Amino acid sequence: MNTLIYYSFNLLILTLVLLLVGLIKPKWLLFWMDKPGRLPIIFVCTGLFMTSAVMYGEGNKELQAEKAQQAKAQTPPPPAPTSGDVPVVKPAPAAKPATQP
C-alpha cells in the first residue's frame, strides 16, 4: 500500500477521534481557553478531513501510475517485420462503367 494512503487513513482516524472528543468535551482539546466552544473544533476537524482526502487522492493517483508503468513494462513489444515478409496491399475497388440510356 502506498504510504500516502496509509497516512491518510491514520489522519482520518485521528480526525474522527478529535471530533468526537471535541464535541463531547471541548475543554479537553482547547485547554488554554477559558470558555472553549465547539465551532473551533469543527473548523480544525474539517481542515484535517480535507487534508486526509487530498492525501488519499494523491496516493491513489501515484498507485495507478505505478500500476500503469508495470503493465506497460510487462507487455511484449510487437514483432519487428523481417526482410522476407511482403506487405499485402488490397487492390482499389474498380470504378463502375457509366451506362447511357
Side-chain angles (χ1 to χ4, degrees):
M1 186 187 319
N2 196 336
T3 55
L4 274 175
I5 295 173
Y6 176 73
Y7 287 136
S8 71
F9 280 127
N10 288 338
L11 184 62
L12 180 65
I13 292 169
L14 176 70
T15 302
L16 292 176
V17 168
L18 287 176
L19 182 64
L20 287 175
V21 169
L23 289 178
I24 294 170
K25 292 280 188 177
K27 183 72 174 170
W28 288 356
L29 297 178
L30 303 174
F31 54 86
W32 62 89
M33 297 176 85
D34 293 333
K35 287 188 173 185
R38 289 178 174 88
L39 195 58
I41 300 293
I42 292 173
F43 286 147
V44 169
C45 289
T46 302
L48 288 174
F49 176 76
M50 288 190 300
T51 303
S52 68
V54 169
M55 284 173 58
Y56 178 78
E58 288 297 319
N60 199 17
K61 188 170 26 171
E62 284 182 12
L63 192 62
Q64 294 296 328
E66 288 174 7
K67 284 183 182 179
Q69 185 77 14
Q70 287 176 354
K72 186 177 180 183
Q74 290 178 354
T75 56
T82 60
S83 60
D85 292 340
V86 178
V88 177
V89 179
K90 292 183 179 179
K96 293 182 181 179
T99 57
Q100 292 184 350

